[in-house]
Amino acid sequence: MNAPVPKPWIMDIAPYIPGKSRTDDGRKAVKLSSNENPLGTSPAARAAFAAAAGNLERYPDASAVELREALASKYDLDPARIIYGNGSDEVLHLAAGAFAGPGDEIIYVNYGFSVYPIATRRVGAVPVVAPDSDYATDVDAILACVTEKTKVVFIANPNNPTGTYATREEIARLHAGLRSDILLVLDHAYAEYIEGEIDDGGWDLAKSAPNVLVTRTFSKLYGLAAERIGWGYASAEIIEAMHRIRLPFSITIAGTAAAIAALNDTDFVEHTRTHNAAWRRWFNDEIAKLGNAGLRAVPSQANFVLVLFEGELTAEAAYKGLMDAGYIVRWLPGQGLPHGLRITIGTEDETKAVVAILQRLIADARTTAAR
Ligand SMILES: *Cc1c(COP(=O)(O)O)cnc(C)c1O
């Protein structure tokens, strides 16, 4: 008897690998592998979540009116043009699903976010990977990849796992170079962590252009990764198409309540941003001091830093050494980065500990080499 046969493009998907929270030998560890908020969640969000426990028998509001109103007033948007989903991951899948199919092409950058290849292949589209420029997004390289089959371009800005940021001017130049029938998805999962110029121009484009979708999430800065609330903003036509394939009840009542409370807790947001900026700077400075051991931090505007290991101490050895010491970071050989570790900025103590462990591992590697 024949078993059901999956579509060939489904079996081409390399499964998503989540960040670990335990060491390989099963110990609980400090998790700096998924870019979560080390300061936790806004107390107001936790209270709103707990208060929702009285409503478990009810379906959520399928049209998410309260969430859309809250987001629209916060960011000065048209609530009718907001889509939401089970994390922004779902919104990214909706974008690929509504605008690409078998034979179409979807472009993203080398070292791009690992969900893009999955979202692309899931709908039978062909991934086209644009070369990076020293780990950063290269607009000209992306434009050179465009063909008549291109339907979607995914850009994370700041990018994950590199942390690099493309300026307003670069994003505008990318948009100007794309045909208007190509959907440009600007994934702003880490936008709140950018220092200085807080917006890459994505909002202006999503408000005015017919082909730009900006996505945001409550999982990172807002500390609500457990609750899976993501959203996006685009033209009414784009949003309307995405709504047709959305799961009717993909966001929960408690998660929505927590998200709205988190949005309005500006103290917690500012505290997180300030903490991240300060410790990211400190971490970068400390990695720079380890330059003679071959360590290099890729410039980051996110809540993590990609550290490259180009000396005696390899990324793999550093990954294992950190794990032995109880700290889990992300080693990404499967994403073409066997020489890099993506390290989330943790609390003050955690961040200092990571640097101290790296210093010790470098010293150990030198002693071993000298022997
Ligand atoms: C974490 C992340 C997301 C989304 O996470 P959700 O929890 O699904 O909202 C989206 N894009 C990038 C680049 C990310 O790193």
Side-chain angles (χ1 to χ4, degrees), residues 6-15 117-118 120-122 124-127:
K7 289 299 184 189
W9 54 84
I10 299 298
M11 298 319 286
D12 284 344
I13 295 175
I118 300 175
T120 300
R121 291 190 196 275
R122 174 172 174 265
V126 177

Side-chain angles (χ1 to χ4, degrees), residues 141-206:
I142 295 169
L143 291 174
C145 288
V146 173
T147 72
E148 66 215 15
K149 293 183 185 160
T150 306
K151 291 288 156 61
V152 179
V153 176
F154 281 120
I155 300 287
N157 202 27
N159 184 41
N160 172 13
T162 60
T164 54
Y165 173 67
T167 61
R168 270 185 105 83
E169 292 70 31
E170 285 298 283
I171 295 296
R173 201 160 71 77
L174 171 61
H175 178 254
L178 292 174
R179 290 194 316 269
S180 61
D181 65 325
I182 297 173
L183 176 64
L184 173 60
V185 181
L186 297 171
D187 175 347
H188 286 184
Y190 301 99
E192 298 92 346
Y193 293 106
I194 300 167
E195 265 186 291
E197 169 190 47
I198 195 97
D199 178 9
D200 69 357
W203 282 140
D204 286 348
L205 285 172

Side-chain angles (χ1 to χ4, degrees), residues 28-287:
K28 194 124 178 56
V30 174
K31 188 182 178 201
L32 300 175
S33 57
S34 296
N35 305 337
E36 295 143 335
N37 189 333
L39 306 180
T41 306
S42 143
R46 260 187 280 131
F49 179 86
N55 290 9
L56 295 182
E57 73 283 15
R58 300 289 175 204
Y59 274 106
D61 169 17
S63 50
V65 172
E66 283 181 52
L67 178 66
R68 286 189 294 113
E69 296 287 344
L71 292 168
S73 82
K74 170 108 182 166
Y75 293 104
D76 190 23
L77 305 172
D78 175 357
R81 291 167 54 186
I82 293 174
I83 185 91
Y84 38 89
N86 190 257
S88 49
D89 282 353
E90 185 188 359
V91 180
L92 300 170
H93 277 280
L94 295 177
F99 294 96
D104 295 332
E105 292 174 355
I106 295 185
I107 302 174
Y108 46 83
V109 297
N110 192 26
Y111 314 124
F113 182 40
S114 56
V115 163
Y116 305 154
I118 300 175
T120 300
R121 291 190 196 275
R122 174 172 174 265
V123 300
V126 177
V128 176
V129 179
D132 60 295
S133 161
D134 197 22
Y135 300 92
T137 296
D138 181 337
V139 166
D140 295 307
I142 295 169
L143 291 174
C145 288
V146 173
T147 72
E148 66 215 15
K149 293 183 185 160
T150 306
K151 291 288 156 61
V152 179
V153 176
F154 281 120
I155 300 287
N157 202 27
N159 184 41
N160 172 13
T162 60
T164 54
Y165 173 67
T167 61
R168 270 185 105 83
E169 292 70 31
E170 285 298 283
I171 295 296
R173 201 160 71 77
L174 171 61
H175 178 254
L178 292 174
R179 290 194 316 269
S180 61
D181 65 325
I182 297 173
L183 176 64
L184 173 60
V185 181
L186 297 171
D187 175 347
H188 286 184
Y190 301 99
E192 298 92 346
Y193 293 106
I194 300 167
E195 265 186 291
E197 169 190 47
I198 195 97
D199 178 9
D200 69 357
W203 282 140
D204 286 348
L205 285 172
K207 286 176 188 179
S208 60
N211 64 331
V212 175
L213 169 69
V214 165
T215 64
R216 301 285 288 242
T217 182
F218 283 92
S219 300
K220 306 286 159 57
L221 174 109
Y222 289 103
L224 283 170
E227 278 311 296
R228 320 298 311 120
I229 312 279
W231 60 287
Y233 195 71
S235 72
E237 290 75 17
I238 289 171
I239 297 298
E240 215 261 319
M242 292 168 73
H243 269 302
R244 291 176 188 234
I245 54 170
R246 179 172 68 72
L247 296 180
F249 303 107
S250 55
I251 62 174
T252 63
I253 292 178
T256 301
I260 294 170
L263 198 62
N264 295 320
D265 188 347
T266 47
D267 285 351
F268 182 79
V269 168
E270 272 320 301
H271 178 47
T272 298
R273 291 193 65 214
T274 311
H275 170 88
N276 188 71
W279 289 101
R280 181 176 63 198
R281 195 171 307 120
W282 182 84
F283 185 74
N284 266 304
D285 290 349
E286 292 300 312
I287 296 298

